[in-house]
Amino acid sequence: MTFNIRRPLGAYRRAAPDAWFTRAPAVQAVLRAHRPQLAALQEVLPEQLHPVQAALGPDHVLLGTGRDGGGRGERCLLSVDTARFGIERWEQRWLSPQPEVPGSRWPGDLFPRTLVLADLVDRRTGVAWRAVATHLDPWPEHSRLRQLAVLQRLLLGRDGPLLLLGDMNAAAGRSRTWDAALAGGLRDTLPPDAAGTFPRYREPRAGAPRLDWILYGGRVRVLGSRVLAERPRGVWASDHFPVLAEVELDDGPGA
């Protein structure tokens, strides 16, 4: 799963659609209903950690810290179900010329942006996976392309199955960021006609951009995928819809 849960903003009234007080139970309901074994979660602030952890359950660990120096600020997290996956190693890097420097970014980028990378072993099958969670800048596009290049250096040329999950802030199928990701060898888990993921607290509608992607590389078979346009108890969980995919190692002939 990838799910931008939307950070809390103090300016909104308690009953406003964007208010965390209103949305927290809906976010928990979505996570409990699907209980993803891997999830990239964006825009997470410290006060959201406990509700998210409670919804996912004690076997899930949340990997990642704040994007600013000293671990402050928004977090892009990778949630891992440790009952299903063993964590061989994990790291957080910044999408910048100095990836190991907390809070670093390119001149002109809006915010520091991070990736969380984990090398995992499936406890059921023994298959080694690499999973990367991220959140790219909303504009300009050349910032996203630079950030994507950092991601690709970690992903491309690696043997074994891999997943890139995140809010890319670029429209699937109609952006240079999308074209660059696919040109680098990654593939989409969703069909081309999938619904948009950025409805801004409204019903799904034609033409809405699909900003949230689950891409894969290597020998991966997609068993199913969908955009979760769900409204628990009549409340939209976020201004983004989550994306959910079920995948496995493709070990068939010619794979």
Side-chain angles (χ1 to χ4, degrees):
M1 175 185 282
T2 185
F3 189 10
N4 182 327
I5 69 169
R6 180 66 167 156
R7 66 192 183 280
L9 294 171
Y12 289 97
R13 293 175 290 107
R14 190 180 185 92
D18 209 25
W20 177 243
F21 306 100
T22 304
R23 298 186 296 104
V27 169
Q28 290 185 300
V30 170
L31 294 174
R32 284 194 182 107
H34 300 285
R35 203 62 61 91
Q37 292 168 332
L38 289 175
L41 304 172
Q42 298 87 29
E43 294 198 25
V44 183
L45 290 181
E47 59 263 42
Q48 295 172 295
L49 291 172
H50 177 74
V52 166
Q53 184 72 71
L56 289 169
D59 288 334
H60 287 71
V61 297
L62 301 175
L63 306 178
T65 62
R67 67 189 183 188
D68 300 325
R72 300 183 303 274
E74 283 184 22
R75 302 174 186 214
C76 174
L77 302 177
L78 182 64
S79 168
V80 179
D81 181 355
T82 58
R84 179 63 188 266
F85 292 102
I87 302 172
E88 297 290 289
R89 74 175 190 97
W90 76 274
E91 63 180 330
Q92 177 167 304
R93 294 192 186 187
W94 277 257
L95 303 178
S96 78
Q98 299 173 292
E100 283 134 19
V101 177
S104 60
R105 53 179 160 167
W106 268 286
D109 286 3
L110 292 176
F111 306 104
R113 295 293 182 181
T114 63
L115 66 86
V116 175
L117 178 152
D119 287 328
L120 310 168
V121 174
D122 188 328
R123 298 187 189 277
R124 295 182 190 172
T125 65
V127 174
W129 291 80
R130 173 166 290 181
V132 178
T134 197
H135 187 189
L136 304 187
D137 264 355
W139 64 81
E141 182 129 53
H142 68 77
S143 290
R144 288 196 298 272
L145 290 169
R146 290 186 302 201
Q147 293 162 2
L148 178 64
V150 178
L151 290 161
Q152 288 174 320
R153 285 196 288 272
L154 293 171
L155 295 173
L156 302 183
R158 177 185 180 273
D159 290 333
L162 60 90
L163 297 169
L164 173 61
L165 313 95
D167 173 2
M168 304 302 186
N169 269 315
R174 46 192 171 103
S175 65
R176 290 168 58 203
T177 305
W178 174 261
D179 294 341
L182 269 60
L186 297 174
R187 288 157 284 173
D188 193 13
T189 57
L190 283 169
D193 61 350
T197 62
F198 190 48
R200 300 183 181 185
Y201 305 107
R202 289 176 286 184
E203 295 287 343
R205 67 190 190 281
R210 179 155 65 88
L211 306 183
D212 305 270
W213 311 348
I214 301 178
L215 304 181
Y216 67 93
R219 294 162 46 200
V220 174
R221 179 186 296 116
V222 180
L223 303 178
S225 60
R226 57 196 167 113
V227 175
L228 300 176
E230 300 176 349
R231 197 176 186 184
R233 298 191 175 184
V235 175
W236 296 115
S238 173
D239 56 347
H240 288 246
F241 289 148
V243 176
L244 185 69
E246 183 180 4
V247 300
E248 66 179 9
L249 179 71
D250 186 352
D251 56 359

